[in-house]
């Protein structure tokens, strides 16, 4: 069997929402990833970081509130911290699982930056909530800093940041080199650290990048044979959550686009996964996309379940 180059995108279900949950979750995730390695897939892994980056942002904000000598950590720093923290747990759990199966393979995490356009429309209409609930007084302080906030009635105020589209993966050559050397690579965690190019310098942006969007780009940039998106459901459904719900075993990009127009995929859940799949397949038409859950992926690569999307 020839080795397939695959980018695997891990969702929240693969990581949990707290430190303790993550310790347990990555052990389960490592087994599924090790099954892929045993099936001769060369893996490059990316992952979500919503709960993790919010936890770090909360902690750093509270640290500043208690100890005024500390400088609040900007979003780019919180993103970098979450990449290291999540990557550390995944690579150690996967390394241990591979060794338990007699497989000696290096697993590396690359701190990854992704350039964004400072004039991206997302910066004018931020949508991603992060951090802790704030009082009206704290929210006013954030507004005076130039940050966006939104109110959730009965709960308080939350900071809101932009989700611009990714342009370039800065460390793509390093990722490709390690992948070509046969290593399992963890990269672009949480969508990557969003940065803006200023002359020869990279300046962190107060933003987050959609994990699914960067997964599609990473797969395209690496010319991967396959993009595997692991989520909370075993496959893609039509009329999801209704009595007419129908599992879709296979889709073409044309069919997927038609379903998008019909409003079949919910924003913030399945829609970005389908859009990322289409973006990847338009750049790599000989590739394929598999969308399934972490618990079903071993069967899905054998054609037993999941949704396969092709050009």
């Amino acid at each position: 069997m020839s080795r397939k180059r695959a980018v695997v995108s891990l969702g929240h279900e693969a990581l949990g929402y707290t430190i303790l949950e993550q310790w347990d979750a990555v052990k389960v995730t490592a087994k599924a990833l090790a099954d892929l390695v045993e099936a001769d897939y060369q893996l490059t892994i990316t992952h979500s970081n919503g709960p993790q980056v919010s936890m770090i942002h909360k902690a750093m904000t509270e640290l500043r509130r208690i100890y005024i000598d500390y400088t609040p950590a900007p979003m780019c720093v919180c993103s970098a911290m979450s990449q290291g923290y999540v990557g550390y747990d995944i690579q150690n759990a996967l390394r241990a699982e591979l060794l338990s199966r007699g497989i000696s393979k290096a697993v590396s995490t690359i701190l990854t930056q992704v350039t964004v356009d400072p004039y991206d429309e997302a910066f004018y209409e931020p949508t991603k909530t992060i951090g802790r609930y704030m009082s009206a007084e704290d929210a006013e302080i954030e507004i005076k800093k130039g940050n966006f906030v939104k109110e959730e009635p009965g709960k308080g105020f939350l900071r809101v940041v932009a989700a611009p589209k990714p342009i370039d993966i800065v460390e793509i050559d390093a990722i490709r080199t390690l992948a070509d050397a046969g290593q399992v690579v963890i990269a672009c965690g949480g969508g990557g650290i969003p940065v803006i190019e200023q002359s020869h310098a990279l300046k962190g942006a107060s933003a987050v990048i959609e994990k699914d969007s960067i997964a599609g780009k990473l797969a395209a940039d690496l010319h991967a044979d396959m993009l595997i998106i692991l989520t909370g459901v075993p496959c893609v459904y039509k009329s999801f959550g209704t009595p007419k719900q129908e599992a879709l075993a296979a889709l073409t990009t044309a069919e997927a686009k038609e379903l998008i127009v019909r409003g079949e995929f919910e924003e913030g859940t399945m829609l970005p996964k389908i859009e990322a799949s289409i973006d990847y397949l338009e750049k790599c038409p000989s590739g394929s996309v598999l969308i399934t859950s972490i618990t079903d992926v071993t069967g899905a690569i054998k054609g037993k379940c999941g949704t396969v999307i092709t050009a």
Side-chain angles (χ1 to χ4, degrees):
M1 180 187 297
S2 60
R3 179 172 294 175
K4 282 190 175 182
R5 296 165 297 169
V7 168
V8 180
S9 175
L10 303 176
H12 299 320
E13 295 77 9
L15 301 173
Y17 289 79
T18 67
I19 289 175
L20 294 179
E21 283 184 8
Q22 185 166 298
W23 284 345
D24 291 334
V26 293
K27 293 175 185 177
V28 176
T29 299
K31 292 182 184 299
L33 294 173
D35 286 346
L36 292 174
V37 172
E38 282 195 319
D40 215 21
Y41 284 78
Q42 174 59 48
L43 302 184
T44 300
I45 301 163
T46 188
H47 58 81
S48 64
N49 76 336
Q52 291 80 10
V53 78
S54 283
M55 176 183 68
I56 292 167
H57 186 268
K58 288 178 188 177
M60 300 305 292
T61 300
E62 289 304 307
L63 183 65
R64 165 62 177 170
R65 285 163 60 87
I66 298 170
Y67 300 103
I68 61 172
D69 291 338
Y70 280 86
T71 301
M75 272 304 300
C76 55
V77 173
C78 293
S79 179
M81 289 179 177
S82 73
Q83 278 195 20
Y85 154 52
V86 177
Y88 166 74
D89 275 354
I90 294 173
Q91 72 179 38
N92 281 349
L94 181 53
R95 177 181 179 275
E97 180 63 29
L98 290 172
L99 287 174
S100 74
R101 302 184 187 198
I103 301 171
S104 180
K105 181 180 286 288
V107 184
S108 303
T109 298
I110 296 183
L111 202 63
T112 316
Q113 302 173 96
V114 177
T115 58
V116 297
D117 182 352
Y119 301 107
D120 191 301
E121 291 182 2
F123 284 109
Y124 303 100
E125 294 185 12
T127 58
K128 293 292 183 180
T129 56
I130 61 160
R132 63 179 177 86
Y133 284 103
M134 298 179 285
S135 65
E137 293 77 13
D138 287 343
E140 186 63 29
I141 292 172
E142 290 297 325
I143 292 171
K144 288 179 178 178
K145 292 178 184 176
N147 296 325
F148 290 83
V149 300
K150 67 176 286 188
E151 182 178 8
E152 291 193 3
K155 294 183 178 180
F157 295 81
L158 285 168
R159 186 175 166 193
V160 187
V161 297
K165 294 180 180 179
I167 298 175
D168 290 313
I169 299 170
V170 178
E171 287 78 19
I172 190 63
D173 288 341
I175 296 167
R176 185 181 292 111
T177 298
L178 290 178
D180 288 347
Q183 293 196 24
V184 176
V185 186
I186 303 164
C188 297
I193 305 163
V195 293
I196 295 170
E197 289 189 274
Q198 295 184 341
S199 298
H200 297 295
L202 296 173
K203 181 180 179 180
S206 182
V208 295
I209 296 171
E210 289 280 5
K211 177 264 301 179
D212 295 311
S213 180
I214 201 64
K217 178 166 180 54
L218 180 61
D221 286 359
L222 293 176
H223 302 289
D225 300 303
M226 196 171 192
L227 170 60
I228 302 174
I229 299 177
L230 301 182
T231 185
V233 290
C235 62
V236 179
Y237 294 93
K238 186 164 62 175
S239 302
F240 180 69
T242 73
K244 296 182 180 180
Q245 176 174 298
E246 177 187 347
L248 300 173
L251 281 173
T252 64
T253 53
E255 291 168 339
K257 289 177 181 179
E258 183 179 338
L259 291 172
I260 289 174
V261 172
R262 287 165 47 185
E264 288 285 355
F265 306 124
E266 184 179 4
E267 289 188 24
T269 55
M270 188 55 70
L271 179 58
K273 295 170 178 55
I274 300 297
E275 290 175 334
S277 301
I278 293 170
D279 287 345
Y280 157 64
L281 290 169
E282 286 182 340
K283 296 179 178 67
C284 298
S286 62
S288 64
V289 178
L290 171 64
I291 300 179
T292 190
S293 69
I294 190 76
T295 53
D296 291 303
V297 66
T298 303
I301 60 172
K302 299 175 183 177
K304 296 180 179 180
C305 57
T307 299
V308 175
I309 306 176
T310 58

